[in-house]
Amino acid sequence: MFEQQPEKLQLHIKQLATEALQTAEPSAWFEVLYAEAQGDATQVPWAKLAPHPYLQDWLTNHQPFASRQKALIIGCGLGDDAEALAKLGFEVTAFDISPTAIAWCQQRFPNSTVNYLVADLFALPEKWHLAFDFVFECRNIQALPLNVRFSVISSVTSLVALGGTLLVITRVRDTEAEPNGPPWPLSDLELQQFESLGLQQVEKLVFLESEQVEVKQVRIEYQRHNSI
Ligand SMILES: C[S@@+](CC[C@H](N)C(=O)[O-])C[C@H]1O[C@@H](n2cnc3c(N)ncnc32)[C@H](O)[C@@H]1O
């Protein structure tokens, strides 16, 4: 998140996020940012108009999938990760809190089989509880402050079906001290919450994102066992 963005955009995002935090609505600024971009993806710093390379890599090494598995993409942004899963035959639902982002996805992929929806991680539909075989969480938790971290991790975890997989890609931090976000990378203790909430870690890959300063990231695969 916020890679290689011009300083002006970075400052603007910091200001939008700070205002949103002051009104206790940490997700409120995303719609403002997408709307202000007016269809120009260069104004959305995380939008690369391509699937995340570490999702692609994971998918390449985990095929074949059973047919018509249900996948959910959290905070789907402009839709490239959702489209990558749809191409592999997943029945994909992708949601974002920003109506502009969702309309943008529908405009970019008019013939898509993905079900793009406006929804809020803090108020998920009840029918999504334990409903998805594959859940993809990429750089959304880190975009929300620490005071909502436990609730966001609980929401993400609640979506994974029995026997299902959660793939998380996120920045991580080396201490428990509160970072000066956004973004707010995850700590070891925070990552442990996925396991205390009933998932088992299957695989963890640490990688560095090349920027002016290297940023530590992880891709973690979790599974929920077939019985609770
Ligand atoms: C940093 S972006 C990451 C987008 C995408 N996952 C990626 O990796 O490119 C965070 C995304 O989460 C969405 N988001 C923020 N708060 C949300 C919430 N409460 N519910 C659903 N989506 C949310 C934002 O609109 C934005 O698209």
PDB file of all heavy atoms in Angstrom, residues 162-187:
ATOM      1  N   LEU A 162     -15.737 -24.337   6.865  1.00  0.00           N
ATOM      2  CA  LEU A 162     -15.058 -25.530   7.380  1.00  0.00           C
ATOM      3  C   LEU A 162     -14.264 -26.149   6.227  1.00  0.00           C
ATOM      4  O   LEU A 162     -14.806 -26.316   5.127  1.00  0.00           O
ATOM      5  CB  LEU A 162     -16.068 -26.549   7.892  1.00  0.00           C
ATOM      6  CG  LEU A 162     -16.919 -26.129   9.095  1.00  0.00           C
ATOM      7  CD1 LEU A 162     -17.848 -27.268   9.507  1.00  0.00           C
ATOM      8  CD2 LEU A 162     -16.036 -25.709  10.254  1.00  0.00           C
ATOM      9  N   GLY A 163     -13.020 -26.436   6.459  1.00  0.00           N
ATOM     10  CA  GLY A 163     -12.174 -26.978   5.383  1.00  0.00           C
ATOM     11  C   GLY A 163     -11.673 -25.916   4.409  1.00  0.00           C
ATOM     12  O   GLY A 163     -10.971 -26.229   3.459  1.00  0.00           O
ATOM     13  N   GLY A 164     -12.047 -24.656   4.647  1.00  0.00           N
ATOM     14  CA  GLY A 164     -11.691 -23.584   3.714  1.00  0.00           C
ATOM     15  C   GLY A 164     -10.321 -22.978   3.999  1.00  0.00           C
ATOM     16  O   GLY A 164      -9.672 -23.272   5.002  1.00  0.00           O
ATOM     17  N   THR A 165      -9.901 -22.111   3.068  1.00  0.00           N
ATOM     18  CA  THR A 165      -8.578 -21.477   3.117  1.00  0.00           C
ATOM     19  C   THR A 165      -8.715 -19.965   3.181  1.00  0.00           C
ATOM     20  O   THR A 165      -9.565 -19.385   2.506  1.00  0.00           O
ATOM     21  CB  THR A 165      -7.801 -21.844   1.824  1.00  0.00           C
ATOM     22  OG1 THR A 165      -7.583 -23.250   1.818  1.00  0.00           O
ATOM     23  CG2 THR A 165      -6.462 -21.129   1.737  1.00  0.00           C
ATOM     24  N   LEU A 166      -7.863 -19.365   4.000  1.00  0.00           N
ATOM     25  CA  LEU A 166      -7.728 -17.900   4.015  1.00  0.00           C
ATOM     26  C   LEU A 166      -6.306 -17.576   3.578  1.00  0.00           C
ATOM     27  O   LEU A 166      -5.343 -18.109   4.141  1.00  0.00           O
ATOM     28  CB  LEU A 166      -7.968 -17.356   5.430  1.00  0.00           C
ATOM     29  CG  LEU A 166      -7.558 -15.894   5.667  1.00  0.00           C
ATOM     30  CD1 LEU A 166      -8.438 -14.925   4.877  1.00  0.00           C
ATOM     31  CD2 LEU A 166      -7.622 -15.553   7.166  1.00  0.00           C
ATOM     32  N   LEU A 167      -6.167 -16.719   2.582  1.00  0.00           N
ATOM     33  CA  LEU A 167      -4.836 -16.256   2.175  1.00  0.00           C
ATOM     34  C   LEU A 167      -4.745 -14.775   2.523  1.00  0.00           C
ATOM     35  O   LEU A 167      -5.583 -13.975   2.094  1.00  0.00           O
ATOM     36  CB  LEU A 167      -4.633 -16.467   0.670  1.00  0.00           C
ATOM     37  CG  LEU A 167      -3.180 -16.361   0.213  1.00  0.00           C
ATOM     38  CD1 LEU A 167      -2.359 -17.538   0.749  1.00  0.00           C
ATOM     39  CD2 LEU A 167      -3.091 -16.337  -1.320  1.00  0.00           C
ATOM     40  N   VAL A 168      -3.723 -14.446   3.341  1.00  0.00           N
ATOM     41  CA  VAL A 168      -3.526 -13.064   3.796  1.00  0.00           C
ATOM     42  C   VAL A 168      -2.216 -12.543   3.217  1.00  0.00           C
ATOM     43  O   VAL A 168      -1.188 -13.212   3.310  1.00  0.00           O
ATOM     44  CB  VAL A 168      -3.441 -13.021   5.344  1.00  0.00           C
ATOM     45  CG1 VAL A 168      -3.121 -11.611   5.828  1.00  0.00           C
ATOM     46  CG2 VAL A 168      -4.740 -13.505   5.974  1.00  0.00           C
ATOM     47  N   ILE A 169      -2.266 -11.352   2.635  1.00  0.00           N
ATOM     48  CA  ILE A 169      -1.026 -10.664   2.238  1.00  0.00           C
ATOM     49  C   ILE A 169      -1.031  -9.319   2.946  1.00  0.00           C
ATOM     50  O   ILE A 169      -1.990  -8.542   2.824  1.00  0.00           O
ATOM     51  CB  ILE A 169      -0.931 -10.476   0.708  1.00  0.00           C
ATOM     52  CG1 ILE A 169      -0.812 -11.837   0.018  1.00  0.00           C
ATOM     53  CG2 ILE A 169       0.267  -9.581   0.351  1.00  0.00           C
ATOM     54  CD1 ILE A 169      -0.748 -11.800  -1.493  1.00  0.00           C
ATOM     55  N   THR A 170       0.027  -9.080   3.705  1.00  0.00           N
ATOM     56  CA  THR A 170       0.048  -7.857   4.501  1.00  0.00           C
ATOM     57  C   THR A 170       1.462  -7.429   4.843  1.00  0.00           C
ATOM     58  O   THR A 170       2.378  -8.247   4.886  1.00  0.00           O
ATOM     59  CB  THR A 170      -0.741  -8.059   5.820  1.00  0.00           C
ATOM     60  OG1 THR A 170      -0.765  -6.812   6.523  1.00  0.00           O
ATOM     61  CG2 THR A 170      -0.124  -9.099   6.721  1.00  0.00           C
ATOM     62  N   ARG A 171       1.597  -6.143   5.099  1.00  0.00           N
ATOM     63  CA  ARG A 171       2.822  -5.655   5.721  1.00  0.00           C
ATOM     64  C   ARG A 171       2.853  -6.129   7.161  1.00  0.00           C
ATOM     65  O   ARG A 171       1.797  -6.257   7.795  1.00  0.00           O
ATOM     66  CB  ARG A 171       2.833  -4.127   5.750  1.00  0.00           C
ATOM     67  CG  ARG A 171       3.101  -3.501   4.414  1.00  0.00           C
ATOM     68  CD  ARG A 171       3.309  -2.013   4.587  1.00  0.00           C
ATOM     69  NE  ARG A 171       3.480  -1.385   3.298  1.00  0.00           N
ATOM     70  CZ  ARG A 171       4.065  -0.207   3.103  1.00  0.00           C
ATOM     71  NH1 ARG A 171       4.514   0.489   4.138  1.00  0.00           N
ATOM     72  NH2 ARG A 171       4.186   0.304   1.906  1.00  0.00           N
ATOM     73  N   VAL A 172       4.068  -6.345   7.687  1.00  0.00           N
ATOM     74  CA  VAL A 172       4.202  -6.691   9.100  1.00  0.00           C
ATOM     75  C   VAL A 172       5.205  -5.759   9.758  1.00  0.00           C
ATOM     76  O   VAL A 172       6.043  -5.162   9.085  1.00  0.00           O
ATOM     77  CB  VAL A 172       4.645  -8.159   9.298  1.00  0.00           C
ATOM     78  CG1 VAL A 172       3.502  -9.103   8.988  1.00  0.00           C
ATOM     79  CG2 VAL A 172       5.860  -8.503   8.438  1.00  0.00           C
ATOM     80  N   ARG A 173       5.075  -5.653  11.092  1.00  0.00           N
ATOM     81  CA  ARG A 173       6.037  -4.845  11.843  1.00  0.00           C
ATOM     82  C   ARG A 173       6.759  -5.736  12.853  1.00  0.00           C
ATOM     83  O   ARG A 173       6.234  -6.794  13.219  1.00  0.00           O
ATOM     84  CB  ARG A 173       5.340  -3.659  12.511  1.00  0.00           C
ATOM     85  CG  ARG A 173       4.326  -3.993  13.585  1.00  0.00           C
ATOM     86  CD  ARG A 173       3.614  -2.711  14.039  1.00  0.00           C
ATOM     87  NE  ARG A 173       2.977  -2.826  15.351  1.00  0.00           N
ATOM     88  CZ  ARG A 173       1.741  -3.251  15.554  1.00  0.00           C
ATOM     89  NH1 ARG A 173       0.987  -3.639  14.534  1.00  0.00           N
ATOM     90  NH2 ARG A 173       1.246  -3.300  16.784  1.00  0.00           N
ATOM     91  N   ASP A 174       7.929  -5.294  13.296  1.00  0.00           N
ATOM     92  CA  ASP A 174       8.757  -6.142  14.155  1.00  0.00           C
ATOM     93  C   ASP A 174       8.516  -5.935  15.639  1.00  0.00           C
ATOM     94  O   ASP A 174       9.033  -6.684  16.462  1.00  0.00           O
ATOM     95  CB  ASP A 174      10.245  -5.902  13.855  1.00  0.00           C
ATOM     96  CG  ASP A 174      10.616  -6.455  12.486  1.00  0.00           C
ATOM     97  OD1 ASP A 174      10.043  -7.493  12.099  1.00  0.00           O
ATOM     98  OD2 ASP A 174      11.449  -5.827  11.805  1.00  0.00           O
ATOM     99  N   THR A 175       7.753  -4.906  16.006  1.00  0.00           N
ATOM    100  CA  THR A 175       7.502  -4.670  17.430  1.00  0.00           C
ATOM    101  C   THR A 175       5.998  -4.555  17.653  1.00  0.00           C
ATOM    102  O   THR A 175       5.233  -4.443  16.689  1.00  0.00           O
ATOM    103  CB  THR A 175       8.119  -3.333  17.907  1.00  0.00           C
ATOM    104  OG1 THR A 175       7.314  -2.263  17.385  1.00  0.00           O
ATOM    105  CG2 THR A 175       9.552  -3.176  17.451  1.00  0.00           C
ATOM    106  N   GLU A 176       5.621  -4.546  18.918  1.00  0.00           N
ATOM    107  CA  GLU A 176       4.200  -4.364  19.240  1.00  0.00           C
ATOM    108  C   GLU A 176       3.841  -2.881  19.357  1.00  0.00           C
ATOM    109  O   GLU A 176       2.681  -2.532  19.556  1.00  0.00           O
ATOM    110  CB  GLU A 176       3.840  -5.104  20.542  1.00  0.00           C
ATOM    111  CG  GLU A 176       3.930  -6.620  20.435  1.00  0.00           C
ATOM    112  CD  GLU A 176       2.999  -7.202  19.364  1.00  0.00           C
ATOM    113  OE1 GLU A 176       1.883  -6.696  19.199  1.00  0.00           O
ATOM    114  OE2 GLU A 176       3.415  -8.163  18.687  1.00  0.00           O
ATOM    115  N   ALA A 177       4.841  -1.998  19.249  1.00  0.00           N
ATOM    116  CA  ALA A 177       4.565  -0.553  19.361  1.00  0.00           C
ATOM    117  C   ALA A 177       3.635  -0.113  18.227  1.00  0.00           C
ATOM    118  O   ALA A 177       3.692  -0.656  17.122  1.00  0.00           O
ATOM    119  CB  ALA A 177       5.879   0.216  19.294  1.00  0.00           C
ATOM    120  N   GLU A 178       2.796   0.878  18.529  1.00  0.00           N
ATOM    121  CA  GLU A 178       1.825   1.330  17.531  1.00  0.00           C
ATOM    122  C   GLU A 178       2.533   2.100  16.407  1.00  0.00           C
ATOM    123  O   GLU A 178       3.246   3.062  16.662  1.00  0.00           O
ATOM    124  CB  GLU A 178       0.765   2.222  18.191  1.00  0.00           C
ATOM    125  CG  GLU A 178      -0.232   2.744  17.188  1.00  0.00           C
ATOM    126  CD  GLU A 178      -1.597   3.081  17.794  1.00  0.00           C
ATOM    127  OE1 GLU A 178      -1.764   2.931  19.016  1.00  0.00           O
ATOM    128  OE2 GLU A 178      -2.468   3.492  17.011  1.00  0.00           O
ATOM    129  N   PRO A 179       2.330   1.681  15.154  1.00  0.00           N
ATOM    130  CA  PRO A 179       2.968   2.398  14.050  1.00  0.00           C
ATOM    131  C   PRO A 179       2.219   3.691  13.725  1.00  0.00           C
ATOM    132  O   PRO A 179       1.059   3.855  14.098  1.00  0.00           O
ATOM    133  CB  PRO A 179       2.860   1.409  12.889  1.00  0.00           C
ATOM    134  CG  PRO A 179       1.729   0.513  13.231  1.00  0.00           C
ATOM    135  CD  PRO A 179       1.541   0.522  14.709  1.00  0.00           C
ATOM    136  N   ASN A 180       2.895   4.562  13.001  1.00  0.00           N
ATOM    137  CA  ASN A 180       2.289   5.840  12.627  1.00  0.00           C
ATOM    138  C   ASN A 180       1.656   5.698  11.242  1.00  0.00           C
ATOM    139  O   ASN A 180       2.222   6.079  10.235  1.00  0.00           O
ATOM    140  CB  ASN A 180       3.396   6.913  12.646  1.00  0.00           C
ATOM    141  CG  ASN A 180       2.860   8.271  12.284  1.00  0.00           C
ATOM    142  OD1 ASN A 180       1.660   8.516  12.376  1.00  0.00           O
ATOM    143  ND2 ASN A 180       3.749   9.155  11.863  1.00  0.00           N
ATOM    144  N   GLY A 181       0.450   5.104  11.214  1.00  0.00           N
ATOM    145  CA  GLY A 181      -0.195   4.824   9.929  1.00  0.00           C
ATOM    146  C   GLY A 181      -0.927   6.011   9.368  1.00  0.00           C
ATOM    147  O   GLY A 181      -0.983   7.053  10.024  1.00  0.00           O
ATOM    148  N   PRO A 182      -1.567   5.811   8.240  1.00  0.00           N
ATOM    149  CA  PRO A 182      -1.599   4.570   7.470  1.00  0.00           C
ATOM    150  C   PRO A 182      -0.331   4.379   6.620  1.00  0.00           C
ATOM    151  O   PRO A 182       0.246   5.375   6.240  1.00  0.00           O
ATOM    152  CB  PRO A 182      -2.821   4.782   6.550  1.00  0.00           C
ATOM    153  CG  PRO A 182      -2.888   6.265   6.330  1.00  0.00           C
ATOM    154  CD  PRO A 182      -2.388   6.871   7.604  1.00  0.00           C
ATOM    155  N   PRO A 183       0.009   3.087   6.327  1.00  0.00           N
ATOM    156  CA  PRO A 183      -0.642   1.879   6.823  1.00  0.00           C
ATOM    157  C   PRO A 183      -0.162   1.527   8.233  1.00  0.00           C
ATOM    158  O   PRO A 183       0.829   2.077   8.705  1.00  0.00           O
ATOM    159  CB  PRO A 183      -0.177   0.820   5.823  1.00  0.00           C
ATOM    160  CG  PRO A 183       1.179   1.289   5.397  1.00  0.00           C
ATOM    161  CD  PRO A 183       1.129   2.791   5.406  1.00  0.00           C
ATOM    162  N   TRP A 184      -0.895   0.558   8.842  1.00  0.00           N
ATOM    163  CA  TRP A 184      -0.553   0.071  10.172  1.00  0.00           C
ATOM    164  C   TRP A 184      -0.214  -1.423  10.040  1.00  0.00           C
ATOM    165  O   TRP A 184      -1.102  -2.286  10.177  1.00  0.00           O
ATOM    166  CB  TRP A 184      -1.747   0.236  11.121  1.00  0.00           C
ATOM    167  CG  TRP A 184      -2.127   1.647  11.435  1.00  0.00           C
ATOM    168  CD1 TRP A 184      -1.662   2.412  12.465  1.00  0.00           C
ATOM    169  CD2 TRP A 184      -3.094   2.479  10.737  1.00  0.00           C
ATOM    170  NE1 TRP A 184      -2.270   3.660  12.436  1.00  0.00           N
ATOM    171  CE2 TRP A 184      -3.139   3.732  11.399  1.00  0.00           C
ATOM    172  CE3 TRP A 184      -3.910   2.288   9.613  1.00  0.00           C
ATOM    173  CZ2 TRP A 184      -3.969   4.782  10.983  1.00  0.00           C
ATOM    174  CZ3 TRP A 184      -4.724   3.323   9.193  1.00  0.00           C
ATOM    175  CH2 TRP A 184      -4.749   4.560   9.874  1.00  0.00           C
ATOM    176  N   PRO A 185       1.072  -1.742   9.742  1.00  0.00           N
ATOM    177  CA  PRO A 185       1.448  -3.155   9.540  1.00  0.00           C
ATOM    178  C   PRO A 185       1.090  -4.017  10.754  1.00  0.00           C
ATOM    179  O   PRO A 185       0.984  -3.510  11.876  1.00  0.00           O
ATOM    180  CB  PRO A 185       2.971  -3.070   9.355  1.00  0.00           C
ATOM    181  CG  PRO A 185       3.234  -1.670   8.920  1.00  0.00           C
ATOM    182  CD  PRO A 185       2.209  -0.833   9.611  1.00  0.00           C
ATOM    183  N   LEU A 186       0.927  -5.312  10.530  1.00  0.00           N
ATOM    184  CA  LEU A 186       0.488  -6.209  11.602  1.00  0.00           C
ATOM    185  C   LEU A 186       1.687  -6.696  12.428  1.00  0.00           C
ATOM    186  O   LEU A 186       2.773  -6.897  11.891  1.00  0.00           O
ATOM    187  CB  LEU A 186      -0.266  -7.415  11.029  1.00  0.00           C
ATOM    188  CG  LEU A 186      -1.747  -7.162  10.715  1.00  0.00           C
ATOM    189  CD1 LEU A 186      -1.904  -6.290   9.477  1.00  0.00           C
ATOM    190  CD2 LEU A 186      -2.492  -8.470  10.551  1.00  0.00           C
ATOM    191  N   SER A 187       1.445  -6.920  13.713  1.00  0.00           N
ATOM    192  CA  SER A 187       2.483  -7.465  14.601  1.00  0.00           C
ATOM    193  C   SER A 187       2.289  -8.981  14.724  1.00  0.00           C
ATOM    194  O   SER A 187       1.245  -9.522  14.334  1.00  0.00           O
ATOM    195  CB  SER A 187       2.361  -6.833  15.989  1.00  0.00           C
ATOM    196  OG  SER A 187       1.206  -7.332  16.621  1.00  0.00           O
TER     197      SER A 187
END
